[in-house]
Amino acid sequence: MSKKLKRPEVLAPAGTLEKLKVAISYGADAVYIGGDAYGLRSRAGNFSFDEMREGVAFAKSHGAKVYVAANMVTHEGNEIGAGQWFRTLRDIGISAVIVSDPALIAIAASEAKGLPIHLSTQASATNYETLAFWQKLGLERVVLAREVSMAELAEIRKNTDVEIEAFVHGAMCISYSGRCVLSNYMSKRDANRGGCSQSCRWKYDLYDMPFGAERHSVVGEIPEAFSMSAVDMSMIAHVPELIENGVDSFKIEGRMKSIHYVSTVSNVYKKAVDAYLESRETFEQIKPALVDELWKVAQRELATGFYYGKPSENEQLFGARRKIPQYKFVGEVVSFDENTMTATVRQRNVITTGDEIEFYGPNFRHVTATVENLRNEDGERIDRAPNPMELLTMTVPEKVVVGDMIRKNGSGLINLYEKDGVGKTVRA
């Protein structure tokens, strides 16, 4: 490569302390979490101050950072106590807070001096003049609005030295920069104060309402009930463009997702960054495998959001849907005996003798195996283990490592890379 490229940070979601440790172990350079106030994920496993301290200590021991999302929109009275809360985060060692509300930004800046502030995507920053405005107020990083295109991102980078954080993977809100009030009306839960019920993903009846005539339901006349749900974002095929355009932090959505999701996606984007910084050829060689890996945790179809044009009906979930392969997370390795090639695993889902499974670990390591010599905690040979969190042993064909995850192989994996080189949604 002709120019020295900056290594972007891989920033993973961490809804719990367990997920924080998994994300960092699987390659995340930083994680973002929620506290007990001021965030937008009230149903996530938000962190107490003691959990934050443990998380920060773990992150520092691995050379990683912890950010706290405090991106709610405040109403009168919501800001009470914010100054002390931000000071506590600073003293714990949180690397930055992610904020959208100007009142909270002002409080954090004035009452918790020394605590870095990042602008949340909820603030809808879409141009470099906006970044310059926030930079003058002391913010050092801006999370761009998800509606920013790749061309706009490139222009922003040319005109500012503010750190740029951009979403690269995960769920997309149907509303502009996530500022939606649908949940407020449908379930009386304020989406902008942490209570979103994701009403856009519900199924709705549709009615034909001809002028001057009675309405009638069209249930049965259309492939499926109507929703306002977007497909998920995946920019794995476009990591080179993001790096070349100077994105400082690759943000992965999903604080409420499983450790299977967090470990897989952190692992994939870390490997993608490493591969591209080695060479374009290295990245192109591994790209199909990276795309395949992401499909193993996909819950919805995947597209590139607004980066390469405005999403169309192909980026919405309705009509005939492509089958998403169901890879099931079944356990994790807690010890390994090289002499007997026996792995002790903590089970998370049903494991059966004869199952085709895959062990995966940091740095994109994979070992495939067939479940053999399955035994329970008492050492008894069993054919089926149905009870979650039970300790089991099994023989494996290759060395595995403590902390490796195990998934049960699915069928019919869709290789998005082969079907569409730019990574956009293709309907079967």
Side-chain angles (χ1 to χ4, degrees):
M1 296 180 186
S2 59
K3 64 178 180 178
K4 178 75 172 177
L5 295 173
K6 182 179 179 181
R7 173 179 291 276
E9 167 188 270
V10 175
L11 175 57
T16 64
L17 188 57
E18 179 189 30
K19 293 173 188 176
L20 178 151
K21 294 178 178 180
V22 166
I24 292 171
S25 298
Y26 275 75
D29 303 296
V31 295
Y32 62 100
I33 67 175
D36 60 2
Y38 310 113
L40 290 184
R41 288 291 181 271
S42 61
R43 290 178 295 159
N46 292 319
F47 285 59
S48 67
F49 290 142
D50 285 342
E51 288 174 324
M52 287 185 189
R53 290 185 183 94
E54 184 176 344
V56 167
F58 182 87
K60 286 184 176 179
S61 71
H62 289 76
K65 297 179 179 180
V66 179
Y67 307 136
V68 173
N71 49 353
M72 72 177 291
V73 174
T74 59
H75 288 233
E76 289 298 337
N78 292 153
E79 77 289 351
I80 296 173
Q84 180 58 52
W85 192 78
F86 285 125
R87 285 193 294 276
T88 302
L89 299 190
R90 178 196 62 192
D91 297 342
I92 285 172
I94 294 300
S95 294
V97 287
I98 308 167
V99 191
S100 64
D101 190 292
L104 291 180
I105 290 173
I107 291 170
S110 62
E111 299 192 34
K113 295 185 184 300
L115 177 64
I117 304 171
H118 297 172
L119 187 72
S120 168
T121 189
Q122 303 293 124
S124 307
T126 56
N127 56 73
Y128 66 81
E129 292 91 346
T130 296
L131 271 66
F133 171 85
W134 289 110
Q135 186 178 32
K136 289 178 182 177
L137 292 179
L139 276 65
E140 58 187 49
R141 178 184 292 187
V142 169
V143 186
L144 295 181
R146 301 186 203 193
E147 296 78 25
V148 171
S149 70
M150 188 65 76
E152 289 172 328
L153 191 158
E155 188 68 16
I156 290 170
R157 178 75 290 166
K158 290 176 185 176
N159 290 278
T160 181
D161 59 359
V162 178
E163 288 187 9
I164 291 175
E165 185 176 306
F167 279 92
V168 299
H169 197 91
M172 293 286 286
C173 184
I174 200 68
S175 184
Y176 195 92
S177 291
R179 293 183 298 172
C180 178
V181 294
L182 187 62
S183 173
N184 302 51
Y185 290 98
M186 301 302 293
S187 58
K188 299 186 185 301
R189 288 165 49 177
D190 192 336
N192 295 299
R193 286 195 284 176
C196 183
S197 59
Q198 297 195 4
S199 306
C200 60
R201 298 199 186 278
W202 299 355
K203 301 294 186 181
Y204 294 91
D205 199 354
L206 280 181
Y207 290 88
D208 182 15
M209 302 178 67
F211 183 76
E214 289 290 324
R215 71 175 187 176
H216 75 276
S217 171
V218 294
V219 170
E221 300 174 21
I222 55 174
E224 72 172 57
F226 176 76
S227 78
M228 292 165 275
S229 185
V231 303
D232 287 357
M233 174 190 285
S234 178
M235 287 294 288
I236 191 63
H238 304 281
V239 163
E241 296 98 302
L242 293 166
I243 293 177
E244 294 284 349
N245 284 318
V247 175
D248 296 284
S249 181
F250 285 8
K251 188 163 196 168
I252 300 164
E253 182 277 336
R255 273 195 287 146
M256 297 178 69
K257 300 285 183 65
S258 68
I259 61 172
H260 181 207
Y261 172 90
V262 170
S263 59
T264 299
V265 181
S266 299
N267 207 6
V268 167
Y269 278 92
K270 182 67 168 182
K271 188 65 175 179
V273 169
D274 289 345
Y276 185 68
L277 291 179
E278 181 179 327
S279 72
R280 166 74 75 164
E281 292 71 26
T282 301
F283 176 79
E284 292 298 333
Q285 287 170 3
I286 200 173
K287 182 165 69 171
L290 297 173
V291 174
D292 279 351
E293 189 79 358
L294 289 178
W295 275 108
K296 295 174 184 178
V297 292
Q299 295 179 317
R300 307 180 185 98
E301 298 180 32
L302 301 173
T304 54
F306 286 80
Y307 280 109
Y308 298 101
K310 292 183 179 179
S312 69
E313 68 277 7
N314 288 328
E315 283 72 53
Q316 305 301 312
L317 292 177
F318 68 92
R321 291 183 60 186
R322 203 168 24 166
K323 181 182 178 182
I324 300 296
Q326 297 298 313
Y327 276 70
K328 183 175 289 186
F329 172 51
V330 295
E332 57 196 310
V333 177
V334 297
S335 68
F336 176 68
D337 186 334
E338 285 195 64
N339 295 320
T340 61
M341 296 300 287
T342 299
T344 301
V345 305
R346 180 179 291 108
Q347 175 200 11
R348 296 291 185 125
N349 271 302
V350 176
I351 298 177
T352 305
T353 296
D355 280 345
E356 296 298 320
I357 59 173
E358 179 182 65
F359 295 82
Y360 69 95
N363 201 32
F364 214 58
R365 289 185 293 101
H366 295 81
V367 173
T368 57
T370 301
V371 176
E372 296 177 351
N373 194 23
L374 184 64
R375 296 179 183 270
N376 62 20
E377 292 184 58
D378 297 322
E380 300 167 335
R381 191 81 171 256
I382 56 175
D383 292 325
R384 187 172 185 271
N387 302 315
M389 304 308 289
E390 186 177 359
L391 287 176
L392 309 170
T393 60
M394 65 181 72
T395 55
V396 293
E398 299 177 45
K399 179 181 178 180
V400 294
V401 178
V402 173
D404 282 358
M405 303 288 178
I406 311 166
R407 57 168 73 101
K408 188 181 296 188
N409 285 358
S411 60
L413 178 63
I414 297 168
N415 190 325
L416 186 63
Y417 169 69
E418 290 183 354
K419 298 190 77 170
D420 183 2
V422 299
K424 291 186 178 180
T425 301
V426 177
R427 295 188 180 275

